[in-house]
Amino acid sequence: TATNANGTSDPWATTLTVAQAPALAGPATATAEAGAAFSYAPTLDAGHPAVGAVTLAVGTLPDGLTLDASTGEISGTATAAGEYPLVLEASNGVGTASLDVTLTVEPAAVASITLTPSATTVDQGGSLTFDLVAVDAYGNRVALLASDVVLSSSVATDVISGWKVSFPHASPHVITATHVASGETATVTVEVEPAPAETVANVVEVDDEELAETGPTDETAPIAVAAGALIMLGAGLVVARRRFDA
């Protein structure tokens, strides 16, 4: 109605529309596990007029996850581990709201392990290092700490230090890796070959001229004296025989 000195007008109905931009809010990070159900639900104020749809302006959702355009919720079951930077966006013609979210899909539990030596043969007394790869049921590699795995050998005298094994004895050695939490194991056979035998030869070279100059050594002197005595004795016998015959 309107009123002045002359009176009040008849009522007149009208509708006032107040435009309002939308708003999106939610955590900047979210974490899912491969193979497990996941949901991320931001808070959406649709504004006026109401937002027609929430869209993914930047990034790509991993397989298994979907975006609900009416609410902005991301849900489902992802299987590919990794980091996915995303930007959700809502617009109603009055304004645009956006929300940056970093979605991380972590690997599931260890499903299998593979043990690889730096070589499959080694000389006796040598050492090898080993590489261990663990994956989940979806093929995602799982990070391991040294304490997560135990190495053992079929030969008790082998020396194991972390991921390194030394082999004092020659024979086939079966090395086993055991993942403590899951109980998963992997084995590999290493052929330890005998160390080559070392032949030590002591060779003494004698210079004939040097021996002639220096004469017999102290050790050979008694032999030389005895030989001389025998020669003299023989000569004496010969002289005596000649006199007797004469």
Side-chain angles (χ1 to χ4, degrees):
T1 62
T3 303
N4 62 17
N6 296 319
T8 300
S9 67
D10 293 331
W12 178 66
T14 187
T15 299
L16 179 62
T17 300
V18 178
Q20 180 183 348
L24 271 172
T29 60
T31 303
E33 182 180 304
F38 168 79
S39 175
Y40 174 84
T43 301
L44 171 64
D45 182 343
H48 191 83
V51 169
V54 178
T55 60
L56 189 61
V58 175
T60 302
L61 291 175
D63 291 342
L65 298 185
T66 58
L67 172 65
D68 185 338
S70 63
T71 63
E73 180 183 8
I74 299 172
S75 62
T77 302
T79 57
E83 189 172 279
Y84 301 86
L86 309 171
V87 178
L88 299 178
E89 190 174 274
S91 181
N92 65 351
V94 177
T96 299
S98 63
L99 175 62
D100 291 18
V101 181
T102 298
L103 170 61
T104 302
V105 180
E106 295 183 343
V110 171
S112 64
I113 59 177
T114 303
L115 184 65
T116 305
S118 54
T120 55
T121 60
V122 64
D123 288 338
Q124 181 181 356
S127 301
L128 294 177
T129 56
F130 291 79
D131 180 55
L132 186 69
V133 175
V135 297
D136 65 11
Y138 308 98
N140 300 305
R141 185 163 179 166
V142 181
L144 295 173
L145 300 175
S147 59
D148 293 336
V149 178
V150 175
L151 286 185
S152 59
S153 174
S154 60
V155 179
T157 54
D158 286 351
V159 180
I160 300 174
S161 178
W163 301 107
K164 181 180 179 181
V165 180
S166 299
F167 305 93
H169 296 95
S171 66
H173 296 231
V174 179
I175 305 301
T176 300
T178 303
H179 184 250
V180 177
S182 67
E184 293 293 325
T185 61
T187 61
V188 65
T189 299
V190 175
E191 292 291 339
V192 181
E193 300 177 345
E198 295 183 1
T199 303
V200 180
N202 295 321
V203 180
V204 179
E205 296 182 355
V206 179
D207 190 312
D208 292 338
E209 293 183 0
E210 180 180 351
L211 181 61
E213 293 175 359
T214 57
T217 62
D218 292 340
E219 295 179 355
T220 60
I223 297 176
V225 171
L230 288 174
I231 292 171
M232 294 178 65
L233 178 59
L237 290 174
V238 170
V239 171
R241 178 65 182 269
R242 288 178 177 175
R243 288 179 180 177
F244 179 78
D245 291 340

mmCIF file with all atom_site columns, all heavy atoms in Angstrom, residues 105-121:
data_model
loop_
_atom_site.group_PDB
_atom_site.id
_atom_site.type_symbol
_atom_site.label_atom_id
_atom_site.label_alt_id
_atom_site.label_comp_id
_atom_site.label_asym_id
_atom_site.label_entity_id
_atom_site.label_seq_id
_atom_site.pdbx_PDB_ins_code
_atom_site.Cartn_x
_atom_site.Cartn_y
_atom_site.Cartn_z
_atom_site.occupancy
_atom_site.B_iso_or_equiv
_atom_site.pdbx_formal_charge
_atom_site.auth_seq_id
_atom_site.auth_comp_id
_atom_site.auth_asym_id
_atom_site.auth_atom_id
_atom_site.pdbx_PDB_model_num
ATOM 1   N N   . VAL A 1 105 ? 44.278 -41.954 -3.221  1.00 0.00 ? 105 VAL A N   1
ATOM 2   C CA  . VAL A 1 105 ? 43.872 -43.357 -3.108  1.00 0.00 ? 105 VAL A CA  1
ATOM 3   C C   . VAL A 1 105 ? 45.103 -44.161 -2.707  1.00 0.00 ? 105 VAL A C   1
ATOM 4   O O   . VAL A 1 105 ? 46.083 -44.224 -3.459  1.00 0.00 ? 105 VAL A O   1
ATOM 5   C CB  . VAL A 1 105 ? 43.281 -43.895 -4.426  1.00 0.00 ? 105 VAL A CB  1
ATOM 6   C CG1 . VAL A 1 105 ? 42.865 -45.361 -4.257  1.00 0.00 ? 105 VAL A CG1 1
ATOM 7   C CG2 . VAL A 1 105 ? 42.092 -43.049 -4.867  1.00 0.00 ? 105 VAL A CG2 1
ATOM 8   N N   . GLU A 1 106 ? 45.050 -44.745 -1.526  1.00 0.00 ? 106 GLU A N   1
ATOM 9   C CA  . GLU A 1 106 ? 46.186 -45.501 -1.013  1.00 0.00 ? 106 GLU A CA  1
ATOM 10  C C   . GLU A 1 106 ? 46.046 -46.979 -1.363  1.00 0.00 ? 106 GLU A C   1
ATOM 11  O O   . GLU A 1 106 ? 44.929 -47.488 -1.517  1.00 0.00 ? 106 GLU A O   1
ATOM 12  C CB  . GLU A 1 106 ? 46.298 -45.336 0.502   1.00 0.00 ? 106 GLU A CB  1
ATOM 13  C CG  . GLU A 1 106 ? 46.609 -43.897 0.925   1.00 0.00 ? 106 GLU A CG  1
ATOM 14  C CD  . GLU A 1 106 ? 46.783 -43.773 2.420   1.00 0.00 ? 106 GLU A CD  1
ATOM 15  O OE1 . GLU A 1 106 ? 46.347 -44.698 3.144   1.00 0.00 ? 106 GLU A OE1 1
ATOM 16  O OE2 . GLU A 1 106 ? 47.353 -42.755 2.859   1.00 0.00 ? 106 GLU A OE2 1
ATOM 17  N N   . PRO A 1 107 ? 47.193 -47.695 -1.489  1.00 0.00 ? 107 PRO A N   1
ATOM 18  C CA  . PRO A 1 107 ? 47.123 -49.134 -1.786  1.00 0.00 ? 107 PRO A CA  1
ATOM 19  C C   . PRO A 1 107 ? 46.420 -49.889 -0.664  1.00 0.00 ? 107 PRO A C   1
ATOM 20  O O   . PRO A 1 107 ? 46.408 -49.461 0.498   1.00 0.00 ? 107 PRO A O   1
ATOM 21  C CB  . PRO A 1 107 ? 48.587 -49.552 -1.892  1.00 0.00 ? 107 PRO A CB  1
ATOM 22  C CG  . PRO A 1 107 ? 49.339 -48.279 -2.121  1.00 0.00 ? 107 PRO A CG  1
ATOM 23  C CD  . PRO A 1 107 ? 48.581 -47.210 -1.417  1.00 0.00 ? 107 PRO A CD  1
ATOM 24  N N   . ALA A 1 108 ? 45.857 -51.030 -1.021  1.00 0.00 ? 108 ALA A N   1
ATOM 25  C CA  . ALA A 1 108 ? 45.267 -51.909 -0.019  1.00 0.00 ? 108 ALA A CA  1
ATOM 26  C C   . ALA A 1 108 ? 46.372 -52.730 0.643   1.00 0.00 ? 108 ALA A C   1
ATOM 27  O O   . ALA A 1 108 ? 47.566 -52.478 0.429   1.00 0.00 ? 108 ALA A O   1
ATOM 28  C CB  . ALA A 1 108 ? 44.227 -52.813 -0.680  1.00 0.00 ? 108 ALA A CB  1
ATOM 29  N N   . ALA A 1 109 ? 45.978 -53.708 1.437   1.00 0.00 ? 109 ALA A N   1
ATOM 30  C CA  . ALA A 1 109 ? 46.956 -54.549 2.133   1.00 0.00 ? 109 ALA A CA  1
ATOM 31  C C   . ALA A 1 109 ? 47.776 -55.372 1.141   1.00 0.00 ? 109 ALA A C   1
ATOM 32  O O   . ALA A 1 109 ? 47.346 -55.634 0.012   1.00 0.00 ? 109 ALA A O   1
ATOM 33  C CB  . ALA A 1 109 ? 46.236 -55.468 3.112   1.00 0.00 ? 109 ALA A CB  1
ATOM 34  N N   . VAL A 1 110 ? 48.961 -55.777 1.582   1.00 0.00 ? 110 VAL A N   1
ATOM 35  C CA  . VAL A 1 110 ? 49.848 -56.586 0.737   1.00 0.00 ? 110 VAL A CA  1
ATOM 36  C C   . VAL A 1 110 ? 49.163 -57.908 0.384   1.00 0.00 ? 110 VAL A C   1
ATOM 37  O O   . VAL A 1 110 ? 48.665 -58.626 1.253   1.00 0.00 ? 110 VAL A O   1
ATOM 38  C CB  . VAL A 1 110 ? 51.177 -56.862 1.456   1.00 0.00 ? 110 VAL A CB  1
ATOM 39  C CG1 . VAL A 1 110 ? 52.018 -57.875 0.689   1.00 0.00 ? 110 VAL A CG1 1
ATOM 40  C CG2 . VAL A 1 110 ? 51.949 -55.564 1.631   1.00 0.00 ? 110 VAL A CG2 1
ATOM 41  N N   . ALA A 1 111 ? 49.139 -58.209 -0.924  1.00 0.00 ? 111 ALA A N   1
ATOM 42  C CA  . ALA A 1 111 ? 48.542 -59.463 -1.393  1.00 0.00 ? 111 ALA A CA  1
ATOM 43  C C   . ALA A 1 111 ? 49.598 -60.437 -1.893  1.00 0.00 ? 111 ALA A C   1
ATOM 44  O O   . ALA A 1 111 ? 49.393 -61.655 -1.848  1.00 0.00 ? 111 ALA A O   1
ATOM 45  C CB  . ALA A 1 111 ? 47.533 -59.190 -2.496  1.00 0.00 ? 111 ALA A CB  1
ATOM 46  N N   . SER A 1 112 ? 50.733 -59.924 -2.373  1.00 0.00 ? 112 SER A N   1
ATOM 47  C CA  . SER A 1 112 ? 51.810 -60.802 -2.838  1.00 0.00 ? 112 SER A CA  1
ATOM 48  C C   . SER A 1 112 ? 53.119 -60.036 -2.844  1.00 0.00 ? 112 SER A C   1
ATOM 49  O O   . SER A 1 112 ? 53.131 -58.798 -2.886  1.00 0.00 ? 112 SER A O   1
ATOM 50  C CB  . SER A 1 112 ? 51.518 -61.337 -4.251  1.00 0.00 ? 112 SER A CB  1
ATOM 51  O OG  . SER A 1 112 ? 51.481 -60.281 -5.185  1.00 0.00 ? 112 SER A OG  1
ATOM 52  N N   . ILE A 1 113 ? 54.227 -60.784 -2.800  1.00 0.00 ? 113 ILE A N   1
ATOM 53  C CA  . ILE A 1 113 ? 55.550 -60.175 -2.830  1.00 0.00 ? 113 ILE A CA  1
ATOM 54  C C   . ILE A 1 113 ? 56.430 -60.920 -3.824  1.00 0.00 ? 113 ILE A C   1
ATOM 55  O O   . ILE A 1 113 ? 56.208 -62.105 -4.102  1.00 0.00 ? 113 ILE A O   1
ATOM 56  C CB  . ILE A 1 113 ? 56.224 -60.158 -1.439  1.00 0.00 ? 113 ILE A CB  1
ATOM 57  C CG1 . ILE A 1 113 ? 56.368 -61.583 -0.884  1.00 0.00 ? 113 ILE A CG1 1
ATOM 58  C CG2 . ILE A 1 113 ? 55.448 -59.287 -0.467  1.00 0.00 ? 113 ILE A CG2 1
ATOM 59  C CD1 . ILE A 1 113 ? 57.090 -61.648 0.449   1.00 0.00 ? 113 ILE A CD1 1
ATOM 60  N N   . THR A 1 114 ? 57.417 -60.211 -4.360  1.00 0.00 ? 114 THR A N   1
ATOM 61  C CA  . THR A 1 114 ? 58.373 -60.792 -5.304  1.00 0.00 ? 114 THR A CA  1
ATOM 62  C C   . THR A 1 114 ? 59.777 -60.462 -4.833  1.00 0.00 ? 114 THR A C   1
ATOM 63  O O   . THR A 1 114 ? 60.075 -59.309 -4.516  1.00 0.00 ? 114 THR A O   1
ATOM 64  C CB  . THR A 1 114 ? 58.160 -60.230 -6.718  1.00 0.00 ? 114 THR A CB  1
ATOM 65  O OG1 . THR A 1 114 ? 56.816 -60.483 -7.129  1.00 0.00 ? 114 THR A OG1 1
ATOM 66  C CG2 . THR A 1 114 ? 59.108 -60.891 -7.707  1.00 0.00 ? 114 THR A CG2 1
ATOM 67  N N   . LEU A 1 115 ? 60.641 -61.488 -4.800  1.00 0.00 ? 115 LEU A N   1
ATOM 68  C CA  . LEU A 1 115 ? 62.022 -61.326 -4.333  1.00 0.00 ? 115 LEU A CA  1
ATOM 69  C C   . LEU A 1 115 ? 62.970 -61.485 -5.520  1.00 0.00 ? 115 LEU A C   1
ATOM 70  O O   . LEU A 1 115 ? 62.919 -62.490 -6.229  1.00 0.00 ? 115 LEU A O   1
ATOM 71  C CB  . LEU A 1 115 ? 62.340 -62.364 -3.261  1.00 0.00 ? 115 LEU A CB  1
ATOM 72  C CG  . LEU A 1 115 ? 63.709 -62.286 -2.582  1.00 0.00 ? 115 LEU A CG  1
ATOM 73  C CD1 . LEU A 1 115 ? 63.839 -60.997 -1.782  1.00 0.00 ? 115 LEU A CD1 1
ATOM 74  C CD2 . LEU A 1 115 ? 63.914 -63.497 -1.678  1.00 0.00 ? 115 LEU A CD2 1
ATOM 75  N N   . THR A 1 116 ? 63.830 -60.485 -5.726  1.00 0.00 ? 116 THR A N   1
ATOM 76  C CA  . THR A 1 116 ? 64.762 -60.523 -6.856  1.00 0.00 ? 116 THR A CA  1
ATOM 77  C C   . THR A 1 116 ? 66.186 -60.269 -6.365  1.00 0.00 ? 116 THR A C   1
ATOM 78  O O   . THR A 1 116 ? 66.456 -59.221 -5.769  1.00 0.00 ? 116 THR A O   1
ATOM 79  C CB  . THR A 1 116 ? 64.393 -59.460 -7.905  1.00 0.00 ? 116 THR A CB  1
ATOM 80  O OG1 . THR A 1 116 ? 63.034 -59.644 -8.306  1.00 0.00 ? 116 THR A OG1 1
ATOM 81  C CG2 . THR A 1 116 ? 65.306 -59.562 -9.122  1.00 0.00 ? 116 THR A CG2 1
ATOM 82  N N   . PRO A 1 117 ? 67.126 -61.207 -6.618  1.00 0.00 ? 117 PRO A N   1
ATOM 83  C CA  . PRO A 1 117 ? 68.517 -60.990 -6.208  1.00 0.00 ? 117 PRO A CA  1
ATOM 84  C C   . PRO A 1 117 ? 69.268 -60.175 -7.258  1.00 0.00 ? 117 PRO A C   1
ATOM 85  O O   . PRO A 1 117 ? 68.853 -60.105 -8.416  1.00 0.00 ? 117 PRO A O   1
ATOM 86  C CB  . PRO A 1 117 ? 69.079 -62.412 -6.120  1.00 0.00 ? 117 PRO A CB  1
ATOM 87  C CG  . PRO A 1 117 ? 68.298 -63.160 -7.160  1.00 0.00 ? 117 PRO A CG  1
ATOM 88  C CD  . PRO A 1 117 ? 66.918 -62.554 -7.187  1.00 0.00 ? 117 PRO A CD  1
ATOM 89  N N   . SER A 1 118 ? 70.374 -59.564 -6.850  1.00 0.00 ? 118 SER A N   1
ATOM 90  C CA  . SER A 1 118 ? 71.200 -58.810 -7.795  1.00 0.00 ? 118 SER A CA  1
ATOM 91  C C   . SER A 1 118 ? 71.880 -59.729 -8.801  1.00 0.00 ? 118 SER A C   1
ATOM 92  O O   . SER A 1 118 ? 72.313 -59.288 -9.864  1.00 0.00 ? 118 SER A O   1
ATOM 93  C CB  . SER A 1 118 ? 72.241 -57.982 -7.041  1.00 0.00 ? 118 SER A CB  1
ATOM 94  O OG  . SER A 1 118 ? 73.011 -58.789 -6.163  1.00 0.00 ? 118 SER A OG  1
ATOM 95  N N   . ALA A 1 119 ? 71.963 -61.031 -8.487  1.00 0.00 ? 119 ALA A N   1
ATOM 96  C CA  . ALA A 1 119 ? 72.462 -62.054 -9.415  1.00 0.00 ? 119 ALA A CA  1
ATOM 97  C C   . ALA A 1 119 ? 71.968 -63.401 -8.908  1.00 0.00 ? 119 ALA A C   1
ATOM 98  O O   . ALA A 1 119 ? 71.623 -63.535 -7.727  1.00 0.00 ? 119 ALA A O   1
ATOM 99  C CB  . ALA A 1 119 ? 73.981 -62.031 -9.496  1.00 0.00 ? 119 ALA A CB  1
ATOM 100 N N   . THR A 1 120 ? 71.934 -64.397 -9.781  1.00 0.00 ? 120 THR A N   1
ATOM 101 C CA  . THR A 1 120 ? 71.469 -65.720 -9.357  1.00 0.00 ? 120 THR A CA  1
ATOM 102 C C   . THR A 1 120 ? 72.619 -66.676 -9.071  1.00 0.00 ? 120 THR A C   1
ATOM 103 O O   . THR A 1 120 ? 72.385 -67.784 -8.595  1.00 0.00 ? 120 THR A O   1
ATOM 104 C CB  . THR A 1 120 ? 70.557 -66.339 -10.434 1.00 0.00 ? 120 THR A CB  1
ATOM 105 O OG1 . THR A 1 120 ? 71.255 -66.361 -11.685 1.00 0.00 ? 120 THR A OG1 1
ATOM 106 C CG2 . THR A 1 120 ? 69.273 -65.533 -10.571 1.00 0.00 ? 120 THR A CG2 1
ATOM 107 N N   . THR A 1 121 ? 73.850 -66.259 -9.377  1.00 0.00 ? 121 THR A N   1
ATOM 108 C CA  . THR A 1 121 ? 75.033 -67.041 -9.022  1.00 0.00 ? 121 THR A CA  1
ATOM 109 C C   . THR A 1 121 ? 76.048 -66.118 -8.358  1.00 0.00 ? 121 THR A C   1
ATOM 110 O O   . THR A 1 121 ? 76.112 -64.929 -8.664  1.00 0.00 ? 121 THR A O   1
ATOM 111 C CB  . THR A 1 121 ? 75.682 -67.700 -10.255 1.00 0.00 ? 121 THR A CB  1
ATOM 112 O OG1 . THR A 1 121 ? 76.088 -66.683 -11.183 1.00 0.00 ? 121 THR A OG1 1
ATOM 113 C CG2 . THR A 1 121 ? 74.710 -68.657 -10.924 1.00 0.00 ? 121 THR A CG2 1
#
